[in-house]
Amino acid sequence: MAASLGLCHETSYAYSYPALNTSSSLCFPPLMADHIVDGGGCSFGDFLELGHSEYSLPLLPPPPVVMAGGNNDQYGMSSSATTTSRIGFRTRSEVEVLDDGFKWRKYGKKAVKSSPNPRNYYRCSAAGCGVKKRVERDGDDPRYVVTTYDGVHNHATPGGVVGHLPYPPSAAPAWSVPAVASPPTAQAWGAPLHAAAAAHSSESSF
DNA sequence: CGTTTTTGACCTGCGC
DNA sequence: GCGCAGGTCAAAAACG
């Protein structure tokens, strides 16, 4: 099963993020929650794309959006596909670690064959939160960073960091939502994300 | 002193 | 069944 997110298809989305020094805009092709990603393949057609040359605003990488499984086990991989969400996206950025408001702890680094650049593995530092993310530079264009979130945070951003997350309230029930500077296109996030979250939550104890 | 990063080894899944 | 590649673990080092 796969909830089609269809995030802002053909829509560019700019969002201000003070902590970053990157160019930006978000462009979301239709996404299938169960298919999104696999960084290994470097098939960016499945990734949300962040960053367009015509924009020069700082950007924020979207943290995990769609839901976590009821038994969001530590490794995720052993969970069925229906209980683990993944979101992958490409960000044009000079820095590899994009601050999304959450605190990440690096637990591994690996050279992958599909890319000349090493892939870094991070896990959310929050106790009990098993969200992971993989970060690697785009092999085709080093200016881009490919980030893949695996899972959904079960807590708010540490330190009450709000205002950085480009999510409408309906799409981020468990964590912080933008308190300021909601972009005009925010509505575009709402329906598909909320729908996806709802679809997932119906089969979990989230 | 507590937390995070680094890095090599180990484990698992997949394709042949 | 074997080999390869990706993902995770865990000990040591570094850092605040």
Side-chain angles (χ1 to χ4, degrees):
Chain A
M1 95 93 211
S4 175
L5 299 180
L7 301 179
C8 310
H9 187 38
E10 299 289 319
T11 300
S12 289
Y13 177 92
Y15 193 81
S16 173
Y17 190 61
L20 300 175
N21 179 27
T22 58
S23 62
S24 76
S25 84
L26 316 181
C27 183
F28 304 102
L31 299 172
M32 301 298 281
D34 294 341
H35 298 164
I36 296 171
V37 174
D38 182 28
C42 284
S43 176
F44 301 126
D46 285 344
F47 284 77
L48 303 182
E49 271 199 49
L50 314 185
H52 280 264
S53 60
E54 62 266 35
Y55 292 91
S56 58
L57 294 173
L59 66 78
L60 168 72
V65 176
V66 192
M67 83 105 321
N71 79 353
N72 187 22
D73 77 81
Q74 185 175 7
Y75 302 109
M77 291 162 57
S78 60
S79 296
S80 69
T82 59
T83 59
T84 301
S85 67
R86 281 189 192 174
I87 293 237
F89 55 88
R90 224 165 146 237
T91 306
R92 180 169 172 176
S93 171
E94 292 180 14
V95 297
E96 290 189 21
V97 181
L98 302 172
D99 187 354
D100 52 21
F102 291 92
K103 194 170 185 179
W104 301 92
R105 184 165 62 85
K106 189 175 185 175
Y107 68 88
K109 179 180 180 180
K110 186 84 174 183
V112 293
K113 223 179 176 185
S114 57
S115 170
N117 304 309
R119 177 178 295 169
N120 294 302
Y121 299 87
Y122 297 86
R123 181 173 293 156
C124 182
S125 294
C129 182
V131 176
K132 293 173 287 186
K133 76 171 178 181
R134 295 183 295 215
V135 179
E136 67 179 292
R137 288 241 168 237
D138 185 343
D140 295 329
D141 189 341
R143 292 174 303 177
Y144 287 84
V145 172
V146 178
T147 303
T148 302
Y149 284 98
D150 205 332
V152 171
H153 296 282
N154 57 7
H155 58 93
T157 52
V161 176
V162 296
H164 294 169
L165 308 177
Y167 305 95
S170 62
W175 13 283
S176 302
V177 298
V180 298
S182 290
T185 52
Q187 279 303 316
W189 288 74
L193 289 176
H194 188 49
H200 281 280
S201 61
S202 67
E203 60 188 26
S204 77
S205 56
F206 182 57

